[in-house]
Coordinates of all heavy atoms in Angstrom, one line a residue:
T116 N 104.0 52.6 142.6 CA 103.2 52.1 143.7 C 102.4 53.2 144.3 O 101.1 53.2 144.4 CB 104.0 51.4 144.8 OG1 104.4 50.1 144.2 CG2 103.2 51.1 146.0
N117 N 103.1 54.3 144.7 CA 102.4 55.3 145.5 C 101.4 56.2 144.7 O 100.3 56.5 145.1 CB 103.4 56.2 146.2 CG 104.3 55.4 147.1 OD1 104.2 54.2 147.2 ND2 105.2 56.1 147.8
I118 N 101.8 56.4 143.4 CA 100.8 57.2 142.6 C 99.9 56.3 141.7 O 98.7 56.4 141.9 CB 101.6 58.2 141.7 CG1 102.5 59.1 142.6 CG2 100.6 59.1 140.9 CD1 103.4 60.1 141.8
M119 N 100.5 55.5 140.9 CA 99.7 54.6 140.0 C 98.8 53.6 140.9 O 97.7 53.4 140.6 CB 100.6 53.8 139.0 CG 101.1 54.7 138.0 SD 99.9 55.6 137.0 CE 99.0 54.3 136.3
G120 N 99.4 53.1 141.9 CA 98.7 52.1 142.7 C 97.5 52.8 143.4 O 96.4 52.3 143.4
T121 N 97.7 54.0 143.8 CA 96.5 54.8 144.5 C 95.5 55.1 143.4 O 94.2 54.9 143.6 CB 97.0 56.1 145.1 OG1 98.0 55.7 146.1 CG2 95.9 56.8 145.8
F122 N 95.9 55.4 142.2 CA 95.0 55.7 141.1 C 94.1 54.4 140.8 O 92.9 54.5 140.7 CB 95.8 56.1 139.9 CG 95.0 56.0 138.6 CD1 94.0 56.9 138.3 CD2 95.3 55.1 137.6 CE1 93.2 56.9 137.1 CE2 94.6 55.1 136.4 CZ 93.5 55.9 136.2
V123 N 94.8 53.3 140.7 CA 94.1 52.0 140.5 C 93.0 51.7 141.6 O 91.9 51.4 141.3 CB 95.0 50.8 140.3 CG1 94.3 49.5 140.4 CG2 95.9 51.0 139.0
L124 N 93.4 51.9 142.8 CA 92.4 51.7 143.9 C 91.3 52.7 143.8 O 90.1 52.3 144.1 CB 93.1 51.9 145.3 CG 94.0 50.7 145.7 CD1 95.0 51.2 146.8 CD2 93.2 49.6 146.2
L125 N 91.6 53.9 143.5 CA 90.5 55.0 143.4 C 89.5 54.6 142.3 O 88.3 54.8 142.5 CB 91.1 56.3 143.1 CG 91.8 57.0 144.3 CD1 92.6 58.2 143.9 CD2 90.7 57.4 145.4
E126 N 90.0 54.1 141.2 CA 89.1 53.8 140.1 C 88.2 52.6 140.4 O 87.0 52.6 140.1 CB 89.9 53.5 138.8 CG 90.4 54.8 138.1 CD 89.3 55.6 137.5 OE1 88.6 56.3 138.3 OE2 89.0 55.5 136.3
A127 N 88.8 51.6 141.1 CA 88.0 50.5 141.6 C 86.9 51.0 142.6 O 85.8 50.5 142.6 CB 88.9 49.4 142.2
A128 N 87.4 51.8 143.5 CA 86.4 52.3 144.6 C 85.3 53.1 143.9 O 84.2 53.0 144.3 CB 87.2 53.2 145.5
R129 N 85.7 53.9 142.9 CA 84.6 54.7 142.2 C 83.6 53.7 141.5 O 82.4 53.9 141.5 CB 85.3 55.6 141.2 CG 84.4 56.3 140.3 CD 85.1 57.5 139.7 NE 85.9 57.3 138.5 CZ 85.5 57.6 137.3 NH1 84.3 58.1 137.1 NH2 86.3 57.4 136.3
K130 N 84.2 52.7 140.8 CA 83.3 51.8 140.0 C 82.3 51.1 140.9 O 81.1 50.9 140.6 CB 84.2 50.8 139.3 CG 83.5 49.8 138.5 CD 84.5 49.0 137.6 CE 83.8 47.7 137.1 NZ 84.9 46.8 136.6
H131 N 82.8 50.7 142.2 CA 82.0 49.9 143.0 C 81.4 50.7 144.2 O 80.8 50.1 145.1 CB 82.8 48.7 143.5 CG 83.2 47.8 142.5 ND1 82.4 47.0 141.7 CD2 84.4 47.6 141.9 CE1 83.0 46.3 140.8 NE2 84.3 46.6 140.9
S132 N 81.6 52.0 144.2 CA 81.1 52.9 145.3 C 81.5 52.4 146.6 O 80.7 52.2 147.5 CB 79.6 53.0 145.2 OG 79.2 53.5 144.0
V133 N 82.8 52.3 146.8 CA 83.4 51.8 148.1 C 84.1 53.0 148.8 O 84.9 53.7 148.1 CB 84.3 50.6 147.8 CG1 85.1 50.2 149.1 CG2 83.5 49.4 147.3

Side-chain angles (χ1 to χ4, degrees):
T116 289
N117 300 1
I118 304 178
M119 288 305 297
T121 302
F122 165 69
V123 168
L124 284 164
L125 285 167
E126 281 295 79
R129 176 159 83 102
K130 183 170 160 196
H131 299 289
S132 300
V133 171

